[in-house]
């Protein structure tokens, strides 16, 4: 599916069509014939599932752009939940490889925004203005994140990311167990 969609194929899931079950797909439109040599590269990105899993685990199952974790509701739209994708640090069409170091975890919202913001991104000066407004302690923490090329997650945030990856039934069990442990 991931290879076919960029080639113009429209494939719906239960997220798009509530009448579908989680294991069902609906082919809405056929795109370019990627099985023919002249169309083969039209959509193929060739990010292996091993690389995809490595990137999501490395990034703590959270969007590297906005920080939202998989499955969380967006603050501005509680009915919408974060769906993580793996995006290229540099656009795929610019020759970015499908290696883990060229990829980041992004929510679908940020991934789409970045595609449409090419050339409209903030300037270094605009970002610098915001950096200078931070408290000294926050500037140091930001510098640490920059040096690490990622934000260090607390133990609680790591456990939260693991929890969000569990199926809903197991999340409910775990929530009930913790509630019992705390005597709430």
């Amino acid at each position: 599916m991931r290879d076919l969609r960029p080639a113009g194929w429209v494939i719906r899931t239960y997220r798009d069509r509530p009448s579908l079950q989680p294991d069902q797909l609906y082919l809405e439109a056929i795109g370019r014939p990627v099985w023919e040599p002249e169309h083969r590269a039209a959509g193929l990105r060739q990010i292996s599932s091993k690389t995809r899993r490595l990137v999501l685990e490395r990034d703590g199952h959270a969007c590297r752009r906005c920080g939202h974790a998989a499955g969380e509701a967006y603050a501005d739209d509680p009915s919408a939940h974060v769906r993580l994708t793996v995006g290229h640090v540099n656009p795929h069409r610019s020759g970015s490889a499908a290696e883990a170091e060229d990829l980041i975890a992004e929510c679908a919202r940020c991934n789409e925004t970045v595609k449409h913001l090419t050339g409209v991104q903030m300037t270094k000066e605009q970002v610098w203005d915001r950096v200078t407004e931070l408290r000294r302690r926050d500037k140091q923490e930001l510098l640490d994140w920059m040096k690490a090329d990622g934000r260090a997650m607390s133990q609680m945030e790591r456990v939260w990311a693991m929890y969000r990856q569990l199926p809903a039934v197991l999340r409910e069990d775990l929530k009930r167990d913790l509630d019992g442990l705390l005597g709430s």
Side-chain angles (χ1 to χ4, degrees):
M1 278 188 339
R2 289 183 185 101
D3 292 341
L4 294 172
R5 285 183 172 138
W9 292 64
V10 180
I11 304 168
R12 303 295 181 197
T13 68
Y14 72 99
R15 291 183 179 112
D16 307 309
R17 296 178 65 116
S19 62
L20 294 175
Q21 296 298 313
D23 61 342
Q24 293 179 318
L25 302 173
Y26 178 80
L27 178 60
E28 191 170 291
I30 296 174
R32 291 187 291 284
V34 295
W35 55 89
E36 293 177 4
E38 63 268 20
H39 297 286
R40 180 156 308 275
L44 298 178
R45 296 182 182 207
Q46 301 175 344
I47 299 173
S48 70
S49 39
K50 180 181 177 182
T51 300
R52 184 176 306 282
R53 186 175 55 253
L54 179 93
V55 169
L56 292 172
E57 288 173 2
R58 178 199 67 203
D59 294 345
H61 296 280
C63 177
R64 290 268 312 262
R65 298 192 189 279
C66 70
H68 285 93
E72 285 182 342
Y74 288 103
D76 62 342
D77 184 4
S79 66
H81 292 80
V82 175
R83 183 177 57 83
L84 287 181
T85 64
V86 173
H88 288 81
V89 175
N90 296 307
H92 181 64
R93 64 183 173 276
S94 300
S96 178
E99 303 298 323
E101 56 273 4
D102 296 316
L103 302 167
I104 60 170
E106 295 177 311
C107 69
R109 187 187 270 187
C110 286
N111 183 282
E112 285 301 312
T113 302
V114 168
K115 286 179 186 175
H116 300 299
L117 286 181
T118 304
V120 187
Q121 293 177 343
M122 294 182 79
T123 66
K124 177 188 166 207
E125 291 75 20
Q126 289 172 317
V127 175
W128 180 251
D129 289 343
R130 284 161 180 82
V131 168
T132 59
E133 294 171 1
L134 297 172
R135 296 176 300 184
R136 179 166 177 75
R137 184 179 67 214
D138 294 337
K139 287 176 188 166
Q140 183 60 56
E141 188 173 5
L142 178 62
L143 179 60
D144 293 343
W145 293 352
M146 289 174 174
K147 287 179 178 178
D149 192 31
R151 179 176 64 89
M153 293 173 65
S154 70
Q155 184 174 354
M156 185 173 61
E157 288 173 312
R158 283 192 296 274
V159 172
W160 172 252
M162 292 176 206
Y163 165 79
R164 294 301 303 168
Q165 297 308 303
L166 293 172
V169 172
L170 297 179
R171 287 196 313 262
E172 285 301 316
D173 286 349
L174 196 61
K175 190 184 333 175
R176 197 171 28 260
D177 292 347
L178 182 56
D179 193 35
L181 178 69
L182 295 173
S184 301

